Amino acid sequence: MKIMVAVKRVVDYAVKIRVKPDKTGVETQNVKMSMNPFCEIALEEALRIRESGLASEVVAVSVGPAQCVDTLRTGLAMGADRGIHVEFKDGLNPLSVAKVLRALVEAEKPGLLILGKQAIDDDCNQTGQMLAGLLKWPQGTFASKVTLDKEKQVATVDREVDGGIETVLLDLPAVITTDLRLNQPRYATLPNIMKAKSKVIKKYTPGDLNVEIKSDLEVLQVTEPPKRKAGVIVSSVDELIDKLQNEARVI
Amino acid sequence: MGRLLSRIICISRSRASRSRSVSPPNGCSPFRNPGGLSRVWGSGLSRAPWFLSGARTFSSGTGSGRESIEYDVVIVGAGPAGLSAAIRLKQLCRERDLDLSVCVVEKGAEVGAHILSGNVFEPRALNELLPDWRNEEAPVDVPVLSDKFWYLTKDRTFALPCPFNNRGNYVISLSQLTRWMGVKAEELGVEIYPGFAAGEVLYDSNDNVVGVGTNDMGISKDGSKKETFQHGVELKGKLTLLAEGCRGSLSEKIISKYNLRGKVQAQHQTYALGIKEVWEIDESKHEPGAVLHTLGWPLDHKTYGGSFVYHMKDRQVSIGLVIALNYQNPYLNPYEEFQKFKHHPAIKSLLEGGTVIQYGARTLNEGGFQSIPYPVFPGGAIVGCSAGFLNVPKIKGTHTAMKSGMLAAEAAFSVLSEGSSMVVYYDFLRKSWIWEELKKARNYRPAFEFGLLPGLAISGLEHYIFKGRLPFTLKHGKPDHKATNVAKLHTPIEYPRADGILSFDVPTSLHRSNTNHEHDQPAHLQLRDPTIPELVNLPEYAGPESRYCPARVYEYVPDENGVLKLQINAQNCLHCKACDIKDPQQNIEWTVPEGGGGPGYSVM
């Protein structure tokens, strides 16, 4: 069985971000970029499944500008067998990415799709779910544990939901999105990074896949959240009531 | 397209010729050894997949479970010196049609992440290394337009005659220039591996250096192996160049092991700590190319140091305070002095309305000519600030660091192609403009041992009249760690609280350095004797490490019985090396943490 993992190149989680002076978005020039942490977890899970013998190949996919190749190389260094880069410069959104991935699924025919639950730059948490909808495949999102049964061709997924853990049984092929506690991704070792240089990354454009990237949303403005004001210590209950009534206007 | 093509050509050439270049060690010519090819096939095939045969030899390391990868030259540190050496090596390879495999290993998460510098850049070495840099989008594009020098008191400024001549120089972000150099190096076929920390030097049975070993990754705080444990790797090089920057951890070990300072009767190295922020200021106050240096307030006459304000482009301004680490008062807090400095009326008016983009700190060399060690050791050499080529009166070290890397590359190339000895690197250095420049500049800094005013007077004489021609060389004072007085000779300094607009507390600033380390790893700051902090540092010196560390790594915190104990917050570390330098008993040893951690500088 082939596993396809979608990975996204995002601003590194340790970087302090700022909004661009023209308020059109977050500053990404000269800023460290890395693989989305949830995508790393997704890739790690796929590699573990392959290592346990339940899958034969792990393919890493990334949709985005030319530099996504660096992110794919990291994925190859972690152990993915080959990479696919769908090059598109600017203006991606979850639905378009899901459509691109659907087209790739039709070409590659994987038995399992693993994605990160959300990207840390837009926090959309939509691509996996939309992809499952487009493919009409079952989905197990926010996975904290994944167990595959090759004979029965099902996957048991523990999902982290608000009320606790929900366990679902999915018929394969299925879409799984990973949550934080699923696993601890491995380091890409130096020898693996060197070996990854010779692994293949196939390039497509959205046009090659007959997908049109368009958005029904237009970003009007990006601003920083308002600065927190300092707290005030009040001297009496009356003063508190007065402030709540007249300043904060909540009563 | 041309870039892609040249990359392919580089890779295929290096693949083909690497099979030639694997040959017996110690400088034998790679061509004349037909056995070289069979050695590659022999060891390569047994472990590496088919597509790697001829490309590189992998073999299992010295029984430690580590893989061993061989290169012609291994360079530790992807900074200006290391990258200049790598680029020069590959240029020589092209000129003389010989290929050498060059590997640069870098502890930062990416090239440039650990690079911090003022920086007013003298392009002398860059002109020699990459003469076409102007047409290749090098981020060197803000020429110096004005050069001011002020003496500050608490409220006033006094303009002094400017001792610097920065005509022809540029205001840059060294982090960005280094990033650009990394791209150029990779285009030439250099292999650069960021995120890997070289933690140990590898020796053969004759005590020659044969390479470096990268740290194991995935070890937890208590020393046990985590689920993600990975062995480090042995990077074996016929030659190893150490380019770790000021107070490099491996370089210090090598200098001490081979007594490299004793060999040439060099003095000890002296240092300063530079703390820097990059601000984005009001358009109306921004003058790209404006350069300002100040002396005086907030430092007293016994403490050598000063500030800098350099205007880059895009409304960005580099501002920082540099304090020599031979300061005497253990209550001095360099970080707080910098925050205080920003409140000076002249500086405040510049920064008001602006925001801080990044913060960082790093030590720099001030020993100059007197402190240059013998830079060659069996199996390699030391380049850049790890040896110490910074020109103190000019406050520039980038151009000399780069030139030293280039000279080391030339020496290395002659070793690997003609069988000469790395000793020629020292000859090249002494015949180069580095030597001439540093010799001329040698008496400025030591003159300040007599105090600020005598120092300024002597500097003035040197600058205008003697120009380094005096027949004697002044000596440095005590080593920095010995210069700290005991606390009872001084009174604690009250520093004003941060206002959150111009001045900030350490956690806020740290956040802006993008610094991070995997928290579950052994502390990389090691105490040679764990009892010294509470027995010596705290009672006698009032715990100076809790004050000079610009990242608040060291804190004295009361335990359950109310007794103050040292707490090491290693995760905050900015890799500045101040603690390794300034600890009074030299009890703190800075060792390299898991690769990929540390600050994330991008515009510093």
Side-chain angles (χ1 to χ4, degrees):
Chain A
M1 177 179 70
K2 196 189 297 186
I3 305 180
M4 190 185 280
V5 179
V7 299
K8 187 177 182 186
R9 176 178 181 263
V10 297
V11 176
D12 185 82
Y13 77 92
V15 166
K16 179 180 192 299
I17 54 167
R18 347 176 266 141
V19 175
K20 283 197 274 210
D22 60 8
K23 297 199 183 163
T24 54
V26 164
E27 182 69 71
T28 50
Q29 279 265 31
N30 292 319
V31 153
K32 176 162 194 279
M33 308 289 275
S34 317
M35 190 187 291
N36 183 36
F38 295 108
C39 299
E40 279 183 355
I41 295 174
L43 184 52
E44 174 64 26
E45 195 60 24
L47 295 171
R48 290 186 187 190
I49 295 174
R50 185 192 65 194
E51 280 160 9
S52 70
L54 295 168
S56 56
E57 196 185 16
V58 173
V59 183
V61 178
S62 193
V63 188
Q67 300 94 322
C68 285
V69 173
D70 297 332
T71 314
L72 282 171
R73 288 269 168 232
T74 308
L76 293 172
M78 282 172 71
D81 297 294
R82 57 190 169 87
I84 299 176
H85 175 215
V86 181
E87 186 157 352
F88 188 78
K89 211 161 174 211
D90 212 7
L92 285 171
N93 53 73
L95 184 56
S96 300
V97 172
K99 288 180 180 169
V100 167
L101 291 174
R102 174 181 57 179
L104 284 172
V105 164
E106 278 158 25
E108 294 278 337
K109 302 202 187 346
L112 182 60
L113 274 167
I114 313 185
L115 283 71
K117 72 172 180 180
Q118 65 199 58
I120 61 173
D121 55 2
D122 54 23
D123 279 341
C124 279
N125 197 331
Q126 296 168 9
T127 309
Q129 292 88 331
M130 288 179 168
L131 180 57
L134 289 171
L135 290 168
K136 298 202 182 3
W137 284 11
Q139 56 179 273
T141 53
F142 310 102
S144 66
K145 189 158 167 221
V146 173
T147 323
L148 287 185
D149 189 330
K150 200 169 183 181
E151 277 181 38
K152 297 187 195 149
Q153 284 287 294
V154 290
T156 311
V157 176
D158 282 1
R159 303 180 58 227
E160 290 188 23
V161 296
D162 289 343
I165 307 271
E166 178 190 58
T167 309
V168 292
L169 191 69
L170 311 172
D171 290 328
L172 296 179
V175 174
I176 296 178
T177 71
T178 63
D179 208 328
L180 202 57
R181 274 155 282 272
L182 179 57
N183 62 46
Q184 186 64 283
R186 65 194 59 186
Y187 291 106
T189 62
L190 201 47
N192 286 344
I193 291 179
M194 294 172 181
K195 288 173 195 163
K197 286 188 191 164
S198 29
K199 290 186 185 173
V200 171
I201 295 183
K202 188 151 184 212
K203 274 194 152 47
Y204 290 98
T205 63
D208 296 337
L209 301 167
N210 290 323
V211 174
E212 191 201 338
I213 309 257
K214 64 181 170 79
S215 178
D216 297 320
L217 294 174
E218 184 194 334
V219 172
L220 295 176
Q221 196 188 65
V222 177
T223 52
E224 276 187 25
K227 293 232 171 335
R228 277 187 63 183
K229 286 198 287 217
V232 173
I233 296 182
V234 295
S235 51
S236 71
V237 176
D238 290 326
E239 199 187 333
L240 174 64
I241 295 175
D242 176 60
K243 280 194 188 289
L244 286 174
Q245 217 166 28
N246 301 321
E247 276 185 37
R249 293 182 206 281
V250 292
I251 52 172
Chain B
M1 187 55 193
R3 237 184 87 168
L4 186 61
L5 210 54
S6 62
R7 241 197 184 133
I8 297 170
I9 293 170
C10 273
I11 293 170
S12 58
R13 270 181 69 192
S14 56
R15 271 227 188 113
S17 52
R18 210 171 280 139
S19 55
R20 284 183 299 164
S21 66
V22 177
S23 62
N26 294 326
C28 292
S29 168
F31 295 110
R32 298 189 211 118
N33 181 21
L37 198 59
S38 58
R39 272 189 60 196
V40 172
W41 284 97
S43 52
L45 275 181
S46 60
R47 279 195 57 106
W50 66 270
F51 50 81
L52 281 176
S53 52
R56 187 178 293 108
T57 47
F58 284 82
S59 51
S60 54
T62 50
S64 56
R66 293 195 294 191
E67 271 191 63
S68 186
I69 309 173
E70 288 175 21
Y71 287 94
D72 291 308
V73 183
V74 171
I75 300 177
V76 180
L83 291 176
S84 295
I87 291 173
R88 191 77 196 105
L89 271 168
K90 283 293 189 181
Q91 287 173 341
L92 287 165
C93 287
R94 282 193 172 172
E95 283 169 33
R96 319 274 181 86
D97 203 30
L98 162 66
D99 202 38
L100 299 172
S101 52
V102 179
C103 169
V104 180
V105 70
E106 161 62 41
K107 64 173 163 56
E110 48 175 26
V111 174
H114 288 188
I115 299 289
L116 183 152
S117 178
N119 182 299
V120 174
F121 180 65
E122 185 179 310
R124 188 170 187 181
L126 186 61
N127 289 337
E128 292 178 22
L129 182 68
L130 294 163
D132 209 25
W133 58 264
R134 280 179 185 82
N135 298 329
E136 296 192 20
E137 294 167 356
V140 179
D141 46 16
V142 181
V144 174
L145 292 178
S146 72
D147 217 344
K148 298 203 187 108
F149 190 55
W150 293 346
Y151 178 81
L152 299 183
T153 60
K154 186 158 183 292
D155 301 299
R156 301 181 61 188
T157 69
F158 296 93
L160 293 177
C162 183
F164 307 111
N165 179 7
N166 279 313
R167 202 173 304 126
N169 295 338
Y170 295 82
V171 179
I172 65 164
S173 155
L174 191 59
S175 175
Q176 291 193 18
L177 176 60
T178 307
R179 215 166 291 244
W180 177 84
M181 286 175 71
V183 171
K184 291 291 150 200
E186 288 194 303
E187 282 173 4
L188 289 169
V190 175
E191 293 178 41
I192 306 182
Y193 297 109
F196 291 95
E200 67 172 304
V201 180
L202 302 172
Y203 300 93
D204 67 10
S205 45
N206 295 323
D207 233 16
N208 297 322
V209 171
V210 294
V212 291
T214 64
N215 282 350
D216 291 341
M217 295 176 88
I219 302 185
S220 96
K221 242 193 204 328
D222 59 17
S224 61
K225 296 180 183 174
K226 295 193 286 198
E227 183 189 36
T228 48
F229 177 80
Q230 294 281 1
H231 273 297
V233 149
E234 295 188 349
L235 291 169
K236 297 257 181 78
K238 298 202 190 102
L239 285 172
T240 304
L241 297 180
L242 298 179
E244 299 170 287
C246 174
R247 196 81 172 188
S249 43
L250 297 183
S251 307
E252 288 299 305
K253 287 210 163 83
I254 294 277
I255 290 174
S256 135
K257 181 185 170 91
Y258 294 106
N259 191 20
L260 296 180
R261 288 216 157 85
K263 274 205 166 82
V264 289
Q265 290 91 47
Q267 279 212 281
H268 54 271
Q269 184 64 270
T270 66
Y271 304 89
L273 175 62
I275 303 185
K276 174 182 169 182
E277 287 171 359
V278 171
W279 283 68
E280 193 177 71
I281 58 171
D282 234 16
E283 187 74 54
S284 56
K285 303 180 191 177
H286 185 235
E287 300 170 42
V291 166
L292 166 66
H293 293 99
T294 77
L295 272 187
W297 191 86
L299 302 175
D300 62 28
H301 283 206
K302 285 221 198 84
T303 308
Y304 181 83
S307 83
F308 61 87
V309 181
Y310 304 146
H311 292 238
M312 301 189 282
K313 58 183 180 189
D314 296 335
R315 295 196 290 135
Q316 290 179 357
V317 171
S318 290
I319 175 168
L321 184 65
V322 178
I323 302 185
L325 283 176
N326 66 347
Y327 65 80
Q328 297 173 345
N329 184 348
Y331 290 109
L332 186 77
N333 186 324
Y335 174 85
E336 294 294 346
E337 295 288 336
F338 176 49
Q339 301 306 315
K340 201 161 95 178
F341 161 75
K342 286 186 283 173
H343 284 276
H344 186 281
I347 308 296
K348 182 173 173 176
S349 59
L350 175 72
L351 299 178
E352 255 166 353
T355 46
V356 185
I357 304 178
Q358 258 179 29
Y359 160 82
R362 185 72 170 91
T363 50
L364 47 119
N365 299 311
E366 289 204 331
F369 190 73
Q370 292 88 321
S371 303
I372 302 175
Y374 184 66
V376 181
F377 53 84
I382 307 180
V383 298
C385 283
S386 290
F389 300 110
L390 191 141
N391 181 330
V392 182
K394 261 193 195 175
I395 9 178
K396 289 178 175 50
T398 317
H399 62 311
T400 48
M402 289 172 68
K403 180 67 175 172
S404 73
M406 292 160 65
L407 294 173
E410 282 161 24
F413 191 82
S414 76
V415 170
L416 295 171
S417 64
E418 295 156 20
S420 73
S421 154
M422 205 55 196
V423 166
V424 301
Y425 167 50
Y426 191 51
D427 296 330
F428 292 167
L429 277 174
R430 284 186 298 175
K431 295 195 192 115
S432 73
W433 49 259
I434 298 179
W435 217 255
E436 187 195 316
E437 195 178 306
L438 292 183
K439 194 156 184 199
K440 224 167 152 187
R442 73 193 185 282
N443 282 329
Y444 287 80
R445 174 68 182 92
F448 286 85
E449 286 300 306
F450 305 114
L452 180 65
L453 294 176
L456 281 173
I458 297 175
S459 298
L461 286 173
E462 274 286 314
H463 184 72
Y464 292 108
I465 303 178
F466 296 118
K467 300 188 205 282
R469 289 185 298 246
L470 284 171
F472 52 81
T473 301
L474 294 176
K475 282 194 163 0
H476 299 314
K478 294 184 207 167
D480 296 339
H481 64 275
K482 291 204 173 128
T484 322
N485 283 339
V486 287
K488 61 178 187 243
L489 295 177
H490 294 267
T491 45
I493 306 179
E494 272 291 317
Y495 287 105
R497 280 196 72 187
D499 68 355
I501 305 171
L502 282 174
S503 52
F504 309 93
D505 58 17
V506 175
T508 309
S509 293
L510 262 186
H511 182 45
R512 295 178 178 134
S513 67
N514 298 326
T515 202
N516 190 38
H517 292 90
E518 165 59 46
H519 74 282
D520 191 13
Q521 63 171 302
H524 64 278
L525 299 151
Q526 298 181 350
L527 301 173
R528 294 191 165 99
D529 178 344
T531 61
I532 298 249
E534 284 91 14
L535 286 180
V536 179
N537 287 29
L538 187 55
E540 292 195 27
Y541 299 97
E545 60 272 31
S546 64
R547 295 193 182 79
Y548 59 63
C549 173
R552 192 145 313 149
V553 168
Y554 303 97
E555 280 184 307
Y556 283 92
V557 188
D559 64 11
E560 330 68 73
N561 302 321
V563 179
L564 287 175
K565 286 255 171 340
L566 179 64
Q567 177 179 284
I568 300 183
N569 308 317
Q571 207 174 349
N572 293 359
C573 184
L574 288 172
H575 297 212
C576 78
K577 318 294 176 70
C579 53
D580 194 271
I581 295 166
K582 188 62 173 167
D583 186 60
Q585 304 244 325
Q586 294 284 268
N587 192 34
I588 301 176
E589 189 185 349
W590 191 96
T591 65
V592 63
E594 206 174 82
Y601 301 139
S602 58
V603 292
M604 298 298 261

